[in-house]
């Protein structure tokens, strides 16, 4: 149960910092909010689905331990944490100075991985 609470905590932190960023930029947009909430809902569904798969594996004779919830939760928490940092960097120049080099490395690494698939 704790893993679900942690995931929800990271999602809420991203929503709150997203509002903070939008308010700071004067760009509160209902379309962006709606899309963002659908993204958050899909993350919650992915976490619940992973839990159902992990729980249900014992009833369909999959005798391999599946740590699916932890994998999905870790990915979502890291993704949300990076998003929180990005949002805070827009609002606070001091945090931007601290985190921007690391966020750019993460972003550049992600773009390199995207280009490998082409």
């Amino acid at each position: 149960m704790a893993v679900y609470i942690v995931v929800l905590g990271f999602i809420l932190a991203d929503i709150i910092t997203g509002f903070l960023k939008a308010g700071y930029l004067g760009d509160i947009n209902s379309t962006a909010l709606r899309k963002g909430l659908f993204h958050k809902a899909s993350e919650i569904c992915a976490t619940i689905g992973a839990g159902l798969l992990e729980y249900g594996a014992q009833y369909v004779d999959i005798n391999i331990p599946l740590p699916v919830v932890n994998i999905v939760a870790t990915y979502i928490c890291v993704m949300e944490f990076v998003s929180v940092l990005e949002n805070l960097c827009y609002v606070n120049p001091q945090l931007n100075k601290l985190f921007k080099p690391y966020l750019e490395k993460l972003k550049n690494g992600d773009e390199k991985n995207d280009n490998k698939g082409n």
Side-chain angles (χ1 to χ4, degrees):
M1 185 63 157
V3 70
Y4 299 105
I5 294 169
V6 171
V7 169
L8 285 175
F10 275 97
I11 289 172
L12 287 174
D14 187 36
I15 291 170
I16 291 166
T17 59
F19 272 116
L20 188 67
K21 174 186 167 187
Y24 178 79
L25 296 174
D27 188 26
I28 296 178
N29 182 332
S30 62
T31 302
L33 176 62
R34 185 178 63 252
K35 285 182 180 181
L37 291 177
F38 275 106
H39 290 168
K40 302 308 174 201
S42 69
E43 292 172 6
I44 292 168
C45 288
T47 307
I48 292 170
L52 289 172
L53 176 63
E54 193 171 299
Y55 176 76
Q58 63 186 334
Y59 296 107
V60 292
D61 293 329
I62 298 175
N63 294 323
I64 302 168
L66 298 171
V68 182
V69 173
N70 289 338
I71 293 168
V72 171
T74 299
Y75 178 79
I76 290 172
C77 289
V78 170
M79 181 178 63
E80 293 297 337
F81 181 69
V82 170
S83 181
V84 165
L85 289 179
E86 289 174 338
N87 290 338
L88 293 174
C89 285
Y90 273 99
V91 177
N92 187 326
Q94 296 300 321
L95 291 176
N96 190 38
K97 287 179 188 176
L98 177 64
F99 292 119
K100 186 176 180 178
Y102 303 107
L103 293 172
E104 285 178 350
K105 283 185 181 182
L106 284 172
K107 194 171 190 177
N108 290 337
D110 204 25
E111 288 173 0
K112 288 179 185 176
N113 289 334
D114 287 345
N115 290 335
K116 286 182 182 179
N118 293 333

